[in-house]
Amino acid sequence: SQTIHQWPATLVQPVGSPLSLECTVEGTSNPNLYWYRQAAGRGLQLLFYSVGIGQISSEVPQNLSASRPQDRQFILSSKKLLLSDSGFYLCAWSDYRAPSLFGPGTRLTVL
Amino acid sequence: SQQGEEDPQALSIQEGENATMNCSYKTSINNLQWYRQNSGRGLVHLILIRSNEREKHSGRLRVTLDTSKKSSSLLITASRAADTASYFCATDAIGAGTASKLTFGTGTRLQVTL
């Protein structure tokens, strides 16, 4: 069965600092991977998705970027964090036929 | 942009009552999924209904899908206090290439009181 790992679980960073959140998937190959952000008390916003190594699609223009250096690794980054980047970041796996699986999330607070 | 919208935004019921949440979406879909999120936690997948299905059951959950109206409903029967959570629908539409791309609604916050 598939599992998704995210780290760190929580993160407090100052404004202007860099960011790197990592997501890894086990039990599947060539997955479609996704990054979502959830602001406090809000729904989920799709940030990026990837159908393969080095293939990244961005849903909204913003201060973040994503990379997929390996088949089962998806990284969310920023060079300089903004206050508005605070939120709950979720990585997810999906394919055309199967239900999606979400990671446990990373709670990011930018001060 | 958000594909789906849940209705109502918040729902408060007593234990034992049924809870019904609705979801509307805008574009053609391959499937629709419902998730639950306890406060500050990750999402838990509840049920998936494909575009060629009209109704699906899982335990106390019943999901319907009306593709002509682009809407779905989630019914939780005989609710329990432990059902208190936010519930989201997510639609799976074809994106670039062969990617399936989940887009979430804004969620319904369900409160079940004793």
Side-chain angles (χ1 to χ4, degrees):
Chain A
S1 63
Q2 299 85 19
T3 57
I4 299 183
H5 304 279
Q6 285 187 245
W7 63 89
T10 59
L11 190 60
V12 180
Q13 291 284 99
V15 169
S17 63
L19 173 73
S20 181
L21 303 182
E22 190 164 344
C23 169
T24 58
V25 183
E26 296 177 358
T28 183
S29 59
N30 197 31
N32 293 333
L33 297 174
Y34 307 82
W35 278 112
Y36 289 86
R37 178 172 61 198
Q38 185 179 33
R42 304 286 297 279
L44 277 75
Q45 180 185 34
L46 178 62
L47 301 176
F48 302 95
Y49 68 93
S50 171
V51 300
I53 296 174
Q55 300 180 63
I56 308 295
S57 296
S58 174
E59 283 297 290
V60 292
Q62 56 200 318
N63 186 42
L64 302 168
S65 62
S67 61
R68 187 163 174 181
Q70 300 179 41
D71 182 46
R72 286 171 279 185
Q73 184 184 33
F74 203 21
I75 297 173
L76 184 69
S77 304
S78 173
K79 293 182 178 178
K80 289 185 178 181
L81 283 169
L82 306 172
L83 287 174
S84 58
D85 292 324
S86 293
F88 191 46
Y89 289 82
L90 290 156
C91 179
W93 167 88
S94 175
D95 71 22
Y96 187 85
R97 294 167 298 280
S100 295
L101 181 67
F102 279 79
T106 294
R107 186 161 304 283
L108 171 66
T109 302
V110 182
L111 301 176
Chain B
S1 60
Q2 296 286 358
Q3 158 82 308
E5 295 209 0
E6 283 91 340
D7 166 54
Q9 289 188 332
L11 180 61
S12 182
I13 60 174
Q14 291 191 318
E15 200 171 50
E17 295 180 335
N18 296 340
T20 299
M21 290 159 267
N22 302 296
C23 168
S24 60
Y25 57 92
K26 297 177 182 175
T27 63
S28 296
I29 61 172
N30 294 311
N31 61 62
L32 184 146
Q33 305 181 45
W34 283 91
Y35 291 85
R36 185 181 75 192
Q37 183 182 38
N38 290 348
S39 180
R41 307 288 294 275
L43 273 73
V44 175
H45 182 266
L46 295 177
I47 199 165
L48 178 151
I49 186 165
R50 303 186 192 285
S51 59
N52 62 352
E53 298 175 312
R54 292 296 168 258
E55 187 170 312
K56 205 158 185 181
H57 297 257
S58 176
R60 294 184 295 113
L61 305 180
R62 172 178 169 253
V63 169
T64 62
L65 178 65
D66 186 336
T67 53
S68 66
K69 295 180 180 179
K70 292 186 168 57
S71 66
S72 174
S73 67
L74 170 67
L75 169 66
I76 304 174
T77 60
S79 63
R80 305 166 182 169
D83 294 328
T84 295
S86 291
Y87 292 82
F88 295 90
C89 70
T91 51
D92 186 359
I94 294 293
T98 58
S100 59
K101 195 170 67 170
L102 281 184
T103 308
F104 281 78
T106 52
T108 293
R109 293 183 303 279
L110 174 65
Q111 177 76 43
V112 181
T113 57
L114 296 173

